[in-house]
């Protein structure tokens, strides 16, 4: 995976790039930018998977930049890293689909843990996309639910789809019913298939995912 660090503080960018063990997190390339204009060029030139972005920057702030990213490259995930804890910034970040809002100063260990969690989520989403592609080659006369996850039938795809749904909605009050409706599958069959493949019931997995993410 490839990551882009966007911050007008050159020292901050340099320290983050140098002191985080990116390879151990599954990151193959680390790109940097010191303003939104350069950041846009990086996004256009490279297959960026994740962005770590400051808010207050000259010319164009980070939230405006991430709004552009959301429109042009909605598949890219983002983390806010800022010295500003203002609530309205957090509200705007949420509206842009930003998954994490971190405050400076932050330890490299905490940043690494956050990136690791995001990388796992992105990898899971990519696996689901591959599963969906395979299913489309076979059939999927199936309807597409509102959140974009297709109805599925084989156990491998069910597991991937459930994990992707939980990754996208774990902060919401979700349970078996919401997952069943999203995947258009019988609840008992869905729960039985998922537990046989993972060892977790749907509710147990949701709780497990929330605990791991919180850590």
């Amino acid at each position: 995976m490839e990551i882009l660090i966007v911050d007008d503080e050159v020292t901050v960018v340099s320290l983050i790039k140098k002191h985080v063990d990116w390879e151990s997190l599954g990151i193959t390339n680390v790109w940097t930018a010191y303003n939104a204009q350069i950041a846009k060029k990086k996004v256009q030139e490279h297959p960026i998977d994740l962005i770590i972005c400051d808010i207050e920057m000259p010319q164009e702030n980070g939230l405006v930049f991430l709004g552009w990213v959301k429109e042009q490259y909605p598949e890219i995930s983002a983390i806010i890293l800022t010295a500003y804890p203002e609530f309205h910034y957090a509200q705007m970040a949420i509206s842009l689909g930003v998954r994490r809002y971190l405050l400076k100063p932050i330890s490299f260990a905490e940043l690494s843990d956050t990136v690791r969690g995001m990388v796992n989520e992105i990898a899971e989403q990519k696996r689901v996309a591959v599963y969906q592609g395979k299913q489309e080659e076979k059939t999927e006369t199936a309807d597409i639910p509102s959140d974009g996850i297709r109805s599925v039938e084989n156990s491998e795809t069910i597991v991937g789809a459930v994990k992707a749904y939980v990754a996208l909605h774990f902060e919401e009050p979700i349970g078996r019913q919401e997952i069943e409706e999203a995947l258009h599958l019988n609840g008992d069959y869905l729960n039985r298939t998922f537990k046989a493949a993972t060892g977790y019931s749907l509710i147990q997995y949701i709780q497990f995912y929330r605990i791991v993410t919180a850590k």
Side-chain angles (χ1 to χ4, degrees), residues 30-63:
V30 180
W31 306 99
T32 60
Y34 305 114
N35 58 55
Q37 286 68 38
I38 296 175
K40 287 179 181 178
K41 288 189 62 177
K42 297 289 186 178
V43 171
Q44 292 168 332
E45 293 171 355
H46 306 287
I48 304 297
D49 297 288
L50 177 62
I51 295 173
I52 297 177
C53 188
D54 189 15
I55 291 181
E56 292 293 343
M57 297 187 293
Q59 299 176 23
E60 184 177 296
N61 77 25
L63 292 174

Side-chain angles (χ1 to χ4, degrees), residues 64-102:
V64 174
F65 163 65
L66 291 178
W68 174 85
V69 172
K70 183 179 181 182
E71 286 186 1
Q72 302 297 322
Y73 303 90
E75 72 280 4
I76 296 179
S77 298
I79 297 171
I80 288 288
L81 179 58
T82 180
Y84 297 89
E86 281 83 353
F87 182 63
H88 72 280
Y89 278 160
Q91 286 180 308
M92 292 177 65
I94 291 172
S95 71
L96 294 172
V98 174
R99 300 302 301 275
R100 302 290 188 276
Y101 191 98
L102 305 178

Side-chain angles (χ1 to χ4, degrees), residues 11-23:
T11 302
V12 170
V13 173
S14 178
L15 287 173
I16 292 176
K17 184 176 182 180
K18 180 178 180 181
H19 291 285
V20 172
D21 186 356
W22 299 105
E23 186 176 353

Side-chain angles (χ1 to χ4, degrees), residues 143-145 151-152 179-186:
D143 296 328
I144 301 178
S151 298
V152 290
I179 297 176
E180 292 161 9
E181 292 176 354
L183 272 61
H184 294 178
L185 289 174
N186 172 271

Side-chain angles (χ1 to χ4, degrees), residues 155-171:
S155 61
E156 185 182 47
T157 308
I158 288 174
V159 171
V162 169
K163 288 183 176 180
Y165 185 88
V166 173
L168 290 170
H169 300 282
F170 73 96
E171 294 176 317

Side-chain angles (χ1 to χ4, degrees), residues 4 23 31 107 131-132 136 138 166-167 172 175 188-189 202 205 214-215:
L4 171 63
E23 186 176 353
W31 306 99
S107 69
Y131 297 153
Q132 291 175 351
E136 289 175 357
K138 295 178 181 178
V166 173
E172 304 168 16
D188 291 336
Y189 169 72
L202 294 175
Y205 181 75
K215 290 181 179 179

Side-chain angles (χ1 to χ4, degrees), residues 60 64 75 81 88 101 113 116 118 120 125 127 152 176 204:
E60 184 177 296
V64 174
E75 72 280 4
L81 179 58
H88 72 280
Y101 191 98
D113 287 343
R116 182 180 293 106
M118 292 294 292
N120 290 338
Q125 290 166 5
R127 282 193 286 271
V152 290
R176 277 185 56 172
Q204 288 173 334

